[in-house]
């Protein structure tokens, strides 16, 4: 997906992960996008998502952004 392509083509060269960070990097930028595509292909857009699901779906990304922005 876009995450993996952009990360590995533009950003990965600047990262110098060591130890467990290598595992986290691989999970976040390679495995997770592939699992997303696989889940989408398996489950597919079967008219199960509604506009009302958007706030719930945005909870994790918003919380993650808040936590990472306060760490610097």
């Amino acid at each position: 997906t876009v995450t993996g392509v952009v990360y590995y083509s533009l950003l990965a060269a600047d990262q110098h992960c060591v130890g467990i960070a290598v595992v986290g990097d691989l999970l976040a930028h390679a495995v997770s996008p592939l699992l997303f595509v696989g889940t989408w292909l398996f489950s597919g857009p079967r008219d199960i998502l509604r506009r009302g699901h958007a706030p719930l779906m945005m909870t994790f990304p918003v919380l993650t952004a808040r936590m990472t922005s306060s760490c610097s």
Side-chain angles (χ1 to χ4, degrees), residues 17-71:
C17 298
V18 179
I20 195 70
V22 173
V23 175
D25 179 63
L26 182 66
L27 288 173
H29 298 106
V31 175
S32 181
L34 291 174
L35 285 175
F36 173 79
V37 171
T39 302
W40 182 81
L41 288 173
F42 178 73
S43 300
R46 308 259 192 294
D47 196 33
I48 56 175
L49 295 177
R50 306 272 185 247
R51 289 181 193 253
H53 291 111
L56 181 61
M57 293 167 58
M58 290 304 295
T59 302
F60 181 74
V62 168
L63 290 175
T64 303
R66 281 188 182 173
M67 289 189 326
T68 56
S69 65
S70 64
C71 291

